[in-house]
Amino acid sequence: MGMDSEKNSLCRLQCSYASLDEVFEIGKETYRGQQYSQIYFARLHLMRTLLYSLVSQWKPQTPVCTVLGLEQGKECVIVGTLYKHMKLKPCILDEYSKERSAVPLVRPHNFMHDDDYLVLEDESGRVKLGGDLISPSVFVTGIVVALHGKETGAGDFSVLEVLEAGLPPQIEFPLKSREDKYIVLVSGLNVGSSDSNPLQLQLFIDHITGHLGDEKEQSIASQIVHVVIAGNSIGIPRGLVNGQNLASKDLSRIAEPIKELDILLNQIAAGLPLDIMPGPNDPANFSLPQQPLHRCLFPGSAAYNTFRSCTNPHSFEIDNIRFLGTSGQNVDDLEKYSDAKDKLEFMERTLRWRHIAPTAPNTLGCYPYTDSDPFFIESCPHVYFVGNQNKYESRVIKGSEGQFVRLISVPKFSESGVAVVVNLRDLECHALSFGTQFSS
């Protein structure tokens, strides 16, 4: 018996792993009533230094001005933070307005309007932007850019060209190995919700741990070296969490999905390294960066050294290949306040703006940092993923200095039954789909 089980046991490939989450850990930061203006100053200072170095090559003959130093009709370059004035942007004060009945409190999917316009501001002042070369539909509040143009008679700045920071420098992609190694990305398990299908989830776990299929299937499963769960793992019924004291039967209804998730994660962690990130619906802090889910929630899984509770955003390296991912809040918020052909375009923009969450803290909750902005992207990832999206999408983008990034939109597993598999050898990826419908 012992010999047989030894013969059939899965010989799994190994890989090196390094967490880069330190920048997202709030740790010893203490809130002393500081305002959000300081994170914008930190962002402007960081990005301006970077943009000035690019401006000298972009427009070497054109003077660089502050907003206050603009002169009518004189061409120059200004660097500052964009602010997007939006007519339909929800305002908390509207809820207390006496005239609120005059303006219906609609909650559209997108708050854009034809009358939206952009303003650029630095420490000296702000100026309204004009011209056809800068489209309000593409940009959002919080991005730092350099603009080439001139002040008009009306006091606006007519934009002739826009310079974004572009993709950050990237560490060299390791020499291609001869063997395939796979990373599995999954999100939106929503254990305990009405959407969740326990059989589908069990099939997924059995497949990646090598308990399903023939020898060929198992040999593929043995090449999976890491699993990342990108948020929204727990589906706690909305009505229960309303700030009221809970009856004991309701307490057990909240605890049940967490216990169930621990049992599932236990099965993965027993055979595979596993990273779990918090998402908007998980029992974690609301504002970004979300801190790791507490280990006491997972008494079974946390006993394994393969189990890691991580931050959101989450950055790590596997075999010297850099990954960066979020549970979806940054891209979902961009979709409300700007326009793009798909979610991958929003993702690409965040890389070209060198900022994971440009709308934080304006419309996306984030911690009020004082002297740094942890969402600034210093080093370009090789793989950039965003969880809890409506469908699986992926493409590769390339930078001017040879950067190569695989963008991945990871769908909600509870709705789609789809996980994503990335091959570390060449960053090719494919969807892994699980269905439990029986055809009649």
Side-chain angles (χ1 to χ4, degrees):
M1 174 71 185
M3 287 295 288
D4 282 349
S5 61
E6 222 172 275
K7 202 186 293 179
N8 294 333
S9 68
L10 212 59
C11 184
R12 194 174 292 283
L13 293 176
Q14 300 297 307
C15 64
S16 66
Y17 176 93
S19 171
L20 305 171
D21 281 347
E22 198 178 339
V23 68
F24 303 120
E25 288 167 5
I26 292 170
K28 296 187 178 71
E29 286 265 354
T30 51
Y31 179 64
R32 300 188 185 88
Q34 63 264 37
Q35 296 298 303
Y36 280 106
S37 56
Q38 286 166 288
I39 194 171
Y40 280 122
F41 281 127
R43 187 183 305 178
L44 179 58
H45 180 73
L46 260 174
M47 292 291 292
R48 185 164 46 199
T49 309
L50 171 71
L51 285 164
Y52 277 169
S53 66
L54 299 174
V55 164
S56 58
Q57 299 155 26
W58 181 54
K59 296 286 172 195
Q61 307 302 322
T62 313
V64 178
C65 292
T66 61
V67 169
L68 205 61
L70 289 175
E71 292 176 36
Q72 189 180 327
K74 186 180 171 189
E75 278 193 27
C76 66
V77 171
I78 52 175
V79 177
T81 308
L82 290 178
Y83 170 77
K84 184 166 169 178
H85 185 274
M86 301 187 77
K87 192 175 180 177
L88 297 180
K89 182 184 157 192
C91 172
I92 188 70
L93 298 177
D94 292 344
E95 294 184 25
Y96 300 95
S97 167
K98 289 176 185 171
E99 299 157 25
R100 67 176 176 176
S101 54
V103 183
L105 284 175
V106 289
R107 294 203 61 183
H109 166 67
N110 186 287
F111 298 110
M112 279 168 39
H113 189 275
D114 292 343
D115 294 344
D116 295 346
Y117 60 86
L118 293 167
V119 170
L120 186 98
E121 55 181 55
D122 61 14
E123 294 96 332
S124 70
R126 54 186 351 217
V127 64
K128 186 178 172 184
L129 304 178
D132 300 329
L133 285 158
I134 186 160
S135 168
S137 65
V138 171
F139 295 95
V140 288
T141 296
I143 304 155
V144 181
V145 291
L147 302 175
H148 168 229
K150 55 188 174 187
E151 190 178 18
T152 64
D156 296 350
F157 187 78
S158 176
V159 178
L160 302 173
E161 281 179 89
V162 182
L163 175 70
E164 295 168 355
L167 294 185
Q170 188 176 50
I171 58 166
E172 202 173 331
F173 188 76
L175 288 169
K176 281 190 179 177
S177 69
R178 293 191 183 156
E179 55 187 359
D180 294 320
K181 286 184 184 178
Y182 299 106
I183 304 277
V184 175
L185 306 172
V186 67
S187 71
L189 302 180
N190 286 316
V191 172
S193 78
S194 55
D195 290 340
S196 180
N197 180 335
L199 175 56
Q200 210 170 26
L201 200 43
Q202 195 59 55
L203 281 173
F204 163 69
I205 290 169
D206 288 347
H207 175 78
I208 63 172
T209 52
H211 291 97
L212 260 192
D214 55 15
E215 279 185 19
K216 188 184 175 194
E217 288 277 326
Q218 290 182 339
S219 77
I220 292 169
S222 71
Q223 295 170 317
I224 296 171
V225 293
H226 208 91
V227 178
V228 179
I229 301 175
N232 285 3
S233 305
I234 298 162
I236 294 171
R238 281 260 173 222
L240 289 180
V241 192
N242 55 9
Q244 304 296 316
N245 287 335
L246 293 171
S248 55
K249 67 176 192 327
D250 290 335
L251 279 172
S252 68
R253 280 178 67 197
I254 283 183
E256 214 50 55
I258 300 172
K259 284 181 188 169
E260 199 181 321
L261 178 65
D262 186 34
I263 291 165
L264 295 167
L265 298 183
N266 207 337
Q267 297 174 54
I268 301 175
L272 265 170
L274 163 71
D275 289 1
I276 183 167
M277 299 159 58
N281 299 343
D282 289 326
N285 60 306
F286 164 76
S287 55
L288 293 180
Q290 286 184 293
Q291 298 307 287
L293 292 164
H294 202 288
R295 292 177 74 85
C296 72
L297 296 170
F298 312 107
S301 324
Y304 290 95
N305 64 1
T306 49
F307 175 87
R308 291 186 192 88
S309 187
C310 307
T311 58
N312 168 36
H314 178 32
S315 180
F316 58 97
E317 271 181 23
I318 289 186
D319 283 355
N320 298 316
I321 295 167
R322 186 161 291 187
F323 285 71
L324 173 65
T326 75
S327 296
Q329 295 101 314
N330 60 332
V331 165
D332 293 345
D333 202 61
L334 280 174
E335 191 180 27
K336 289 178 189 170
Y337 298 97
S338 59
D339 198 23
K341 67 176 187 286
D342 56 21
K343 293 291 183 78
L344 298 177
E345 191 174 348
F346 288 124
M347 292 172 69
E348 181 177 347
R349 283 177 196 168
T350 60
L351 286 178
R352 295 197 186 279
W353 295 333
R354 291 206 196 182
H355 204 275
I356 303 169
T359 55
N362 182 44
T363 52
L364 187 62
C366 86
Y367 184 82
Y369 287 91
T370 48
D371 50 9
S372 66
D373 184 352
F375 306 112
F376 174 72
I377 306 171
E378 274 186 58
S379 177
C380 193
H382 297 107
V383 178
Y384 179 31
F385 64 91
V386 167
N388 299 295
Q389 300 307 303
N390 294 328
K391 60 179 180 179
Y392 161 66
E393 293 176 298
S394 177
R395 70 168 166 263
V396 167
I397 60 166
K398 294 182 179 177
S400 56
E401 292 164 17
Q403 300 99 320
F404 175 98
V405 189
R406 165 68 67 184
L407 305 178
I408 303 171
S409 158
V410 184
K412 299 168 192 155
F413 187 84
S414 60
E415 292 177 14
S416 63
V418 171
V420 181
V421 180
V422 184
N423 190 341
L424 291 179
R425 185 168 59 85
D426 52 12
L427 301 188
E428 285 300 314
C429 68
H430 64 270
L432 199 58
S433 188
F434 297 88
T436 55
Q437 295 80 20
F438 295 102
S439 55
S440 52

